[in-house]
Amino acid sequence: MKSFPKKFNLLEIEEKWQKNWEEMGIYRFNRAEDSRPSFTIDTPPPYPSGNFHMGNVLNWTYIDALARYKRMRGYNVLFPQGWDCHGLPTEIKTEETYKIKKTDLPPAEFVKLCKQLINKYITIMKKAIIRLGCSVDWTTEYKTMNPNYWKNTQLSFIQLHKKGLIYKGTHPISWCTSCETAIADAEVEHEQKEGTLHYIKFKLEDGNHLTIATTRPELLPACVTVAVNPQDERYKRYIGKNIYVPIADRQVKIIAERTVDPKFGTGVLMICTYGDKADVKAVTTHKLPSIILIDDKGKMNQNAGKYAGLTAKQAKKAVVADLEQADLLEKTEPHSQEVGTCWRCKTPIEILEHEQWFMKTRIFTEQVKKNTHEVTWYPDNMKKRMIDWANSLDWDWVISRQRIFATPMPIWYCTKCNEVIIAEPDWVPIDPRNEPPKTGKCPKCGSTKFTPETDVLDTWFDSSITCAVHAGWPDNKDWQKLFPADVHPSGYDIIRTWAYYLMVRSLALFDEKPYKSVLINGMVLGTDGRKMSKSLGNFVSTPEVFSKYGADAPRQWATSGGATGSDIPFRWEDIEYAWRFLRKLWNASRFAGIHLKDYNPNQKPAKLELIDRWLLSKMEQVTRKVTEALENCQFNVATDEIRKFTWHSFCDNYLEAVKHRLYQPETYGNEKREAAQYTLYTTIYRIIQLLAPVSPHITEELYQIMFADDKKHESIHVSQWPTIQKELIDDETEKSGDLIVAVMGEIRRDKAENQKPLNAPIQKLTLYSEDKETVEVLCQAEEDLAGTCKIEKMEVILAKGKGKELQGYPDIHFIAEY
Ligand SMILES: [Zn+2]
Ligand SMILES: [Zn+2]
C-alpha cells in the first residue's frame, strides 16, 4: 500500500489519470483478439459546434459508464469517436466568422475555410470529451469531411444505386427558402402558429358562389381544383361543375375527395400546388396539373402574374387587398395551425417541385418496424417513436442538397447526350467537380465532355453508416464480426433521423439491422427546469462545471439525475452532493489506509464479528443490485445504490463501529482488529470497483494507492467486475446487524439530547427485550456496542422494557446512566 497524499485535489488527480490512461493505451480496441468477446459501441459522431454542452455530458457519461462496465465484465470494447462535419450550420458559421458570402469565392476555397473552422471546433470538443474522462479509443478518430470517409459515403451511394434503390426524379419536396435547399421529412419540425383564415368567394357559372376558407390566399394563382367531400349533402350537387378561381381568373372543376373535412372552414377546399402534403396527394390521385408559384428564394415567380417578385408574405397582403377590392373576401378569423418549419432556421417550409436524388426508403417500412421490435431499447417505450416515425413517412428520402460543404455525389452527365455516369466502386473517393469519370469518355456516345453533379449529399447520408464503418466496413474483410453494433447511444430527439436512417440504410445495404440495442438519453434542462438556453439565463457551460468540480462529480449528476431516457435538470446541488460524496469516500479510504499499513491481504481472519458479516452481506447485495442495474442501463439505480451503501452502511455505521478494534488491539485483541482490517479492505475495493464506471478518476487513484501492489491490474478499469459471493449474503445477519446499528444510532441521539459529547462515557447501559433471540444478538455484539458507544458496563435483560424505547423496535427499551 502506498501512502495517501497530504491534500485531496480531485482536479489534479483527474487530469493526471486522463494523461496516464492515454499513455497506457488501456482503452485500445484489439481487432485481432479472439480470447475475449467484443462489445461495439456506435458512438454518434457529434456535429462539431465548438460547444460540448451539458447534454453532451449526459450522453457521453452514459456511453462511457457502459463502456467501462463492459470492459470490466471482460469484453474487448470498441469505443470509437468520429466527427460529423458537413452541413449547413458550418457553412453559415464560416460565413459569419470570415465575414464572407459563400458565393464570394470558389467552392474549393470556401470548403477550405469550413474545414479550418471545423478543425478548430473539433479540438475544443475533443478536449472536453477527454476532460470528462471518456475511455475513447482515440486511434479510431475520423472526420466525415475527409476523403477517406467520403469513400465510405460514396461507396454506399454507388451500392444502393446498383441495387436500384436510388433514383433521380422531379417530385414535390420540402424546401427551405432561407437555406435554399431541399430538406428531408426528418428535418421538418412542426410548430403551432397563429394565422388567419380567409373566407373567399369562388363564383359559380350560375352566378352563385361557394365560399372557401384558406390560410394561404397568396396561393390562389396555383389553385388547380376545388374539392368537396362526396358525403357532404351541402355540396354534393356541385361535383363536376365549373368554378372560377378569383385572382387567377381561371375556371377549374369541382371534384369529390374523401379526405376533405366537412368541418374545416366551409367544407369546400381549394387544392393548390402546393400548400401542404394533402395537396400533393390530391394532385397524384386526381392526376391534376401543378403550377409552381414560389421560387427557391421564397419569391413569387412569373406564374404569380402581377404578384411576381413579391415574397410570399407580401403577396398574401396584396392578394387580400385585391380580394377586398373585388368584394370577394367574406370575412377573416384567427386560426391556429401546425406549420412545418426548417429544423435549422425555423422558416416555414414550402413544397416545391425540383429534380432531386432520392433513396427509396418507404419500401423498407415493414422491415424497419420488424427490426425495431427485435432491437432492445433502453428504455423500452422509446421504440414507439421509431415505429410512429416509420409509419408517418409519405415520401422517399431526398438525399441531394444544394450546398457546398458536403460529400460530393459521385455523378457526371455527358454534355453531349445527357447520359448519367455514376462512379464505379474503385473510383472513390472522388470529387466530380474536379475530376472527370475514370473511363474518360461517355459509355453511350463516346464524348469526352462532362458536366459534374454539383448537388451534394445530405449530411445524414454520411452519418447513417457509422455502425458499419466502426465495424471496419468496407476495408476490413471480417467487419461483419463486429456488426451489428452492440449498442447505438443517442438522444430521443434524433431517433427519427439517426436511429431511423441507420436502420433503413443498413437494411438496404446489408440486409441486416445496424444495432442490437439503442441507449436513449433525455435532454438536459436549465437550472430552473425550463429548456436550457443562454437567453433564459439558466444556461451552464461545461468549462464552468469542469473547472470547479472536475468530471467525477458531474458524471454522478448525469447518471443519477433521472431514469434513462428522461429529461434531467441541471442542478448545482446534485454536483455539490456528488462532490461531498467523493470527499467522504476519499477520507474514509485514507482513514482505512492508516489502519491497513500492516495488513496482509493474503491472510483471511479466523473469525468475523457480527457487524463485519453484516457489512459484507450488504456489500454482496449492493453488488447484485448495481450489476443488475448496469446490465439494464439503469445508471441512476446503480449510482444511488453505491452511494447509499458507501455513505450510510460503510462510512456512517461500519467505520464508527470498528474504530475501537482498530485503535486498541491491546484491549480487543489482534484477531478482532484483523477482522476489521479484512472487512475494510474488501469493502473499499468493492466500492471503488462498483463506482469505477461512473466516477473513473477517484476510483483509479484509490486503487493505485491501496490495491495495485496486491491486485496487480494495470488499472482498476481493466480489473474484473466482482462476482457475487452468495454465501456471504445472509438475511439473519443483516437483520441482526441492523439492530446493532440502530442501538448505536439511538445512543448517539441520547447523548445529544443529554448534551453530552459523542465520546462521553456511559457508566451503565441496560437493554431490555422480551425476545430471547434479540437478547442473544445484543449480547453477541456487546463488545462492539460497548467499544463504539464508550459503555463502561452493559447489561442485557430478558424482560419487559423499562426506560426509553428504541426507535423502530417497540420491543426494545434501554436506560443509559452517565
Ligand atoms: Zn432553413
Ligand atoms: Zn454521351
Side-chain angles (χ1 to χ4, degrees):
M1 182 160 321
K2 299 179 186 71
S3 23
F4 274 74
K6 290 224 160 53
K7 265 184 147 176
F8 173 63
N9 188 330
L10 186 56
L11 270 53
E12 272 174 26
I13 289 170
E14 290 187 351
E15 286 181 41
K16 174 182 79 184
W17 283 113
Q18 284 156 12
K19 208 169 135 265
N20 288 357
W21 288 331
E22 192 52 31
E23 280 164 12
M24 289 152 81
I26 51 172
Y27 304 137
R28 301 272 184 276
F29 175 70
N30 187 351
R31 221 166 249 284
E33 192 181 311
D34 275 336
S35 54
R36 287 182 296 168
S38 58
F39 184 82
T40 54
I41 299 169
D42 178 43
T43 322
Y47 160 68
S49 62
N51 168 28
F52 192 79
H53 51 77
M54 288 314 290
N56 297 132
V57 169
L58 176 64
N59 195 181
W60 262 259
T61 300
Y62 277 7
I63 304 174
D64 189 55
L66 186 60
R68 288 180 184 280
Y69 170 67
K70 290 290 178 183
R71 222 175 267 118
M72 290 174 79
R73 288 304 302 244
Y75 288 90
N76 182 16
V77 173
L78 171 60
F79 185 173
Q81 189 61 65
W83 305 99
D84 188 17
C85 309
H86 289 133
L88 193 68
T90 307
E91 291 187 5
I92 291 173
K93 208 76 211 185
T94 303
E95 288 183 323
E96 281 169 16
T97 307
Y98 298 100
K99 300 197 171 44
I100 47 160
K101 277 253 148 231
K102 63 181 162 195
T103 42
D104 291 351
L105 59 179
E109 289 300 307
F110 182 71
V111 164
K112 223 186 240 169
L113 292 179
C114 290
K115 282 191 162 186
Q116 207 174 308
L117 192 71
I118 281 292
N119 278 322
K120 195 176 111 192
Y121 288 160
I122 286 175
T123 309
I124 297 170
M125 292 181 77
K126 181 174 176 178
K127 233 173 110 184
I129 292 178
I130 293 171
R131 187 62 193 84
L132 185 61
C134 293
S135 55
V136 167
D137 176 356
W138 288 107
T139 63
T140 62
E141 192 178 0
Y142 63 91
K143 300 170 186 174
T144 60
M145 66 182 177
N146 286 348
N148 59 359
Y149 196 94
W150 281 10
K151 188 183 80 176
N152 305 329
T153 307
Q154 290 181 328
L155 184 64
S156 71
F157 176 91
I158 294 163
Q159 290 188 350
L160 290 176
H161 187 266
K162 281 191 192 295
K163 287 185 169 196
L165 294 170
I166 284 186
Y167 62 94
K168 191 179 195 189
T170 303
H171 294 279
I173 40 138
S174 296
W175 184 273
C176 175
T177 54
S178 166
C179 301
E180 287 180 54
T181 185
I183 61 176
D185 281 349
E187 294 166 310
V188 177
E189 289 182 350
H190 296 275
E191 276 179 49
Q192 205 63 31
K193 284 208 169 176
E194 296 309 313
T196 308
L197 208 48
H198 300 80
Y199 288 78
I200 301 166
K201 291 183 208 164
F202 279 48
K203 288 214 167 109
L204 290 155
E205 278 176 320
D206 64 7
N208 291 319
H209 71 268
L210 291 179
T211 303
I212 290 173
T214 177
T215 54
R216 299 202 64 185
E218 73 276 19
L219 292 182
L220 277 169
C223 172
V224 290
T225 193
V226 165
V228 297
N229 191 306
Q231 309 289 321
D232 193 333
E233 293 300 331
R234 296 173 292 175
Y235 303 118
K236 242 179 177 170
R237 59 198 161 104
Y238 297 110
I239 294 167
K241 296 237 157 66
N242 288 328
I243 194 164
Y244 283 97
V245 182
I247 300 294
D249 211 13
R250 193 171 52 238
Q251 218 177 34
V252 296
K253 267 219 160 48
I254 300 173
I255 61 163
E257 170 56 51
R258 242 178 278 277
T259 56
V260 173
D261 176 5
K263 285 193 214 75
F264 177 79
T266 57
V268 189
L269 205 70
M270 68 170 187
I271 308 279
C272 300
T273 49
Y274 296 95
D276 57 21
K277 279 191 169 182
D279 289 343
V280 179
K281 268 192 192 143
V283 166
T284 316
T285 319
H286 301 282
K287 300 197 172 51
L288 300 166
S290 74
I291 304 166
I292 296 298
L293 271 193
I294 295 171
D295 70 10
D296 294 357
K297 291 182 160 66
K299 291 211 165 135
M300 309 303 272
N301 63 21
Q302 69 285 357
N303 290 336
K306 65 181 269 208
Y307 310 104
L310 300 181
T311 63
K313 215 172 162 183
Q314 292 164 337
K316 180 182 280 187
K317 237 174 140 180
V319 166
V320 170
D322 288 347
L323 287 169
E324 272 178 328
Q325 185 80 42
D327 195 26
L328 292 171
L329 187 66
E330 222 171 74
K331 62 169 178 175
T332 61
E333 61 187 31
H335 178 68
S336 169
Q337 65 172 354
E338 200 174 74
V339 174
T341 60
C342 168
W343 66 282
R344 199 203 61 80
C345 71
K346 311 294 174 217
T347 303
I349 56 134
E350 293 291 350
I351 296 173
L352 303 186
E353 271 182 352
H354 253 276
E355 193 169 41
Q356 299 283 346
W357 288 88
F358 296 85
M359 177 183 160
K360 288 184 187 169
T361 47
R362 284 173 308 159
I363 58 168
F364 291 101
T365 297
E366 285 313 309
Q367 256 177 291
V368 165
K369 282 153 62 181
K370 180 175 162 279
N371 281 277
T372 298
H373 282 296
E374 286 168 13
V375 166
T376 308
W377 291 74
Y378 302 109
D380 187 60
N381 60 8
M382 288 293 167
K383 174 195 315 184
K384 191 172 177 297
R385 290 182 184 237
M386 179 90 145
I387 303 278
D388 288 351
W389 176 249
N391 280 332
S392 77
L393 290 171
D394 300 314
W395 297 346
D396 280 336
W397 177 13
V398 53
I399 55 170
S400 46
R401 293 291 180 277
Q402 293 65 49
R403 304 205 277 238
I404 296 173
F405 187 52
T407 303
M409 303 187 89
I411 302 167
W412 300 259
Y413 304 96
C414 170
T415 314
K416 205 169 153 201
C417 77
N418 264 333
E419 176 77 352
V420 179
I421 300 151
I422 309 274
E424 286 303 320
D426 57 347
W427 298 4
V428 294
I430 196 160
D431 188 343
R433 296 169 295 192
N434 303 333
E435 261 185 88
K438 301 245 181 208
T439 46
K441 54 185 185 184
C442 169
K444 203 165 155 200
C445 76
S447 164
T448 53
K449 288 213 163 61
F450 308 96
T451 313
E453 175 60 85
T454 51
D455 278 5
V456 290
L457 284 162
D458 179 4
T459 307
W460 290 110
F461 212 76
D462 297 341
S463 52
S464 54
I465 48 172
T466 51
C467 290
V469 172
H470 295 156
W473 178 85
D475 298 323
N476 260 301
K477 279 196 185 66
D478 57 355
W479 69 275
Q480 271 165 313
K481 269 169 57 184
L482 303 176
F483 188 86
D486 288 288
V487 66
H488 168 70
S490 181
Y492 64 65
D493 55 330
I494 49 175
I495 288 174
R496 64 181 193 174
T497 44
W498 218 315
Y500 171 76
Y501 284 145
L502 273 167
M503 181 63 89
V504 76
R505 287 254 277 152
S506 182
L507 291 173
L509 279 165
F510 313 118
D511 197 22
E512 170 71 281
K513 66 170 85 59
Y515 39 73
K516 295 178 198 158
S517 70
V518 179
L519 167 59
I520 296 293
N521 64 276
M523 304 295 115
V524 171
L525 307 173
T527 44
D528 55 359
R530 289 190 290 173
K531 197 177 166 201
M532 196 183 265
S533 110
K534 282 185 178 142
S535 61
L536 289 173
N538 62 1
F539 185 85
V540 179
S541 79
T542 43
E544 189 185 352
V545 176
F546 289 156
S547 63
K548 253 192 201 155
Y549 292 102
D552 277 358
R555 286 172 65 114
Q556 280 189 28
W557 155 78
T559 55
S560 69
T564 301
S566 63
D567 289 347
I568 70 168
F570 179 87
R571 280 183 294 243
W572 285 110
E573 309 90 274
D574 287 2
I575 293 186
E576 185 65 41
Y577 178 87
W579 181 257
R580 285 203 310 276
F581 169 79
L582 295 172
R583 186 168 279 277
K584 184 95 182 166
L585 172 65
W586 179 265
N587 289 337
S589 304
R590 195 177 53 183
F591 168 80
I594 295 165
H595 295 282
L596 288 170
K597 283 234 154 68
D598 59 338
Y599 174 66
N600 175 6
N602 299 317
Q603 205 179 324
K604 229 195 140 183
K607 183 175 169 276
L608 294 170
E609 296 300 306
L610 170 61
I611 204 80
D612 303 326
R613 286 182 281 118
W614 166 80
L615 186 73
L616 293 174
S617 180
K618 283 207 181 289
M619 176 188 86
E620 295 299 344
Q621 299 270 28
V622 82
T623 304
R624 184 178 52 78
K625 286 181 196 160
V626 171
T627 307
E628 270 173 22
L630 289 179
E631 279 299 317
N632 293 303
C633 295
Q634 294 171 319
F635 304 107
N636 59 327
V637 176
T639 309
D640 289 349
E641 288 292 341
I642 305 164
R643 294 205 295 204
K644 243 174 22 201
F645 172 75
T646 307
W647 203 312
H648 302 297
S649 305
F650 181 63
C651 295
D652 287 351
N653 295 315
Y654 182 78
L655 278 188
E656 293 307 319
V658 296
K659 276 183 178 164
H660 62 284
R661 281 198 255 153
L662 294 168
Y663 279 115
Q664 296 161 267
E666 64 286 357
T667 311
Y668 298 96
N670 257 331
E671 203 179 87
K672 287 181 181 165
R673 179 161 183 270
E674 277 160 22
Q677 282 179 316
Y678 167 81
T679 311
L680 278 180
Y681 186 86
T682 309
T683 311
I684 295 178
Y685 185 53
R686 184 66 57 88
I687 289 170
I688 61 171
Q689 278 207 299
L690 297 181
L691 188 63
V694 172
S695 291
H697 305 89
I698 194 169
T699 49
E700 180 77 304
E701 180 76 2
L702 289 172
Y703 171 78
Q704 298 292 348
I705 294 172
M706 300 178 73
F707 302 98
D709 293 345
D710 168 36
K711 305 278 181 192
K712 308 257 189 287
H713 305 291
E714 202 181 354
S715 153
I716 191 167
H717 301 295
V718 294
S719 71
Q720 207 198 341
W721 188 258
T723 43
I724 296 144
Q725 291 174 270
K726 282 207 187 88
E727 67 277 11
L728 292 181
I729 299 180
D730 182 51
D731 289 342
E732 275 307 306
T733 304
E734 284 194 39
K735 232 175 94 191
S736 305
D738 287 344
L739 169 63
I740 304 305
V741 165
V743 175
M744 290 174 178
E746 191 69 54
I747 306 270
R748 266 199 295 265
R749 263 194 302 279
D750 193 71
K751 286 184 179 175
E753 277 167 28
N754 288 294
Q755 271 135 26
K756 305 270 178 206
L758 268 184
N759 59 0
I762 296 176
Q763 292 202 341
K764 191 182 173 197
L765 180 78
T766 318
L767 283 154
Y768 300 91
S769 170
E770 279 185 299
D771 180 52
K772 217 174 138 205
E773 271 173 46
T774 305
V775 169
E776 264 167 33
V777 170
L778 291 168
C779 290
Q780 217 190 108
E782 193 177 330
E783 202 175 86
D784 276 343
L785 270 174
T788 306
C789 306
K790 305 270 177 302
I791 301 160
E792 281 163 12
K793 189 164 179 265
M794 184 165 140
E795 214 177 334
V796 186
I797 297 170
L798 182 67
K800 196 168 158 51
K802 279 189 210 158
K804 245 185 184 172
E805 185 185 300
L806 180 67
Q807 259 184 44
Y809 296 85
D811 167 53
I812 304 172
H813 288 74
F814 71 96
I815 296 169
E817 296 164 46
Y818 294 93

